[in-house]
Amino acid sequence: MKIGISCHHTYGGSGAIATELGKALAAKGHSIHFFSQAAPFRLGAYAPNISYHEVEVMRYPLFDAPFYTLALASKIAEVAFYEKLDVVHAHYAIPHALSAMLARQMLEDKCAESKCFKLATTLHGTDITVVGADRGMQDVVRLAINKSDGVTTVSHYLKDETVRMFNPKKEITVIPNFVDTSLFYRSPKQEIRELLGIGNEKVIIHISNFRPVKCIGDIIRIFYAVSQKSDATLLMVGDGPERSEAETLVRQFEIMGRVRFLGKLVDIVPLLSIADLMLMPSNVESFGLAALEAMACGVPIVATMAGGFPEFIEPGRHGYLLPPGDIEGMTEKSLLLLSDHNHWLDSSEACVRQAKRYETALLVEQYEGYYRMLLE
Ligand code: GMT
């Protein structure tokens, strides 16, 4: 198949899933065309069957804000026509699904309706729960959903939320996030510990784009309480709007020596491989790709009973799920996992087994089947 993939290039789950999907489809022989504002952060080196089309936005003094949505639509229309794309897969409702919809309208006179590409849209989370909940954005998100030929969500939670908020015309299919366990597996390296100046203490990790939904302050509060009773280091991977407040909190708690802010990193496996626990106290999380990738590396999770987490994290088996904001509960469960080695080992092994149920190859097959269904 010839497939266009439109996604965010920035550090985040939707861009990661879109890029890994495209790379896996290309490896199976499909022809993949990525559309983005800059190279998606997980694209990596050249690979056969992959073309990346950078969307250039025209700047003109009259335009206050550049028209990315329109430039993306033009680019999709151009490539779809010349490359005869079968499917365009938009990741995140706006602007990607909307631009693809516009591209189709641009092609109306050029291709017969039956020959034009099918539009698949994957909703990832904040496109519904945050952007979609904004009154000014609701109608445009609804349009993007209803004009897609098919819509998927990354969890049952997100499907239910989408139905509740938008009552879409078509049935939504759930295709969860996935992880390549041939790349994400535990392989602890002493030199990584040395590089970070970590001795024998426990390692707690958090990876995200530090947006308000991630409750970054709660991570610092939980870690502070844990560090009063257990020798531990906290690795904060990623960057975003909540980082400086988190750094201020670290200074207030006087735990600067125990917390490392490492910024945005692409190769996270070496860090996950030395981690004993991942903290994800988000108040909204449609799936939680970072947690799945950590589980593949044998890292148990302490997260919230929110969104899609309960769909793949079984409390007591793969870590623990507590109500959002329950700092005390998350501290207690973190200490439990860090102090009981046999319990940690059982959880770590169960996490690896669970992650294998979300193997990239299995879920990529589901997407291929989904595209075929749209083309029939
Ligand atoms: O919030 C992020 O980490 C990025 C965000 C995005 O939209 O790029 O991630 C969303 O999509 C991921 C991939 O499907 C999901 O695993 C995340 O749970 C989801 N984030 C939220 O719902 C907050």
Side-chain angles (χ1 to χ4, degrees), residues 129-144:
T129 56
V130 178
V131 182
D134 184 280
R135 276 182 69 98
M137 289 293 185
Q138 254 166 27
D139 287 340
V140 77
V141 172
R142 179 176 289 109
L143 182 72

Side-chain angles (χ1 to χ4, degrees), residues 143-192:
L143 182 72
I145 292 173
N146 285 330
K147 291 292 178 189
S148 300
D149 296 301
V151 176
T152 75
T153 57
V154 297
S155 63
H156 291 277
Y157 156 79
L158 189 60
K159 175 179 175 173
D160 294 346
E161 276 300 283
T162 308
V163 170
R164 186 181 67 76
M165 290 167 68
F166 294 101
N167 192 20
K169 291 181 185 158
K170 294 188 193 82
E171 180 63 23
I172 291 177
T173 300
V174 177
I175 306 183
N177 284 179
F178 49 82
V179 61
D180 183 345
T181 64
S182 71
L183 301 174
F184 282 80
Y185 61 91
R186 197 170 186 86
S187 157
K189 303 240 164 40
Q190 186 56 27
E191 62 258 35
I192 299 291

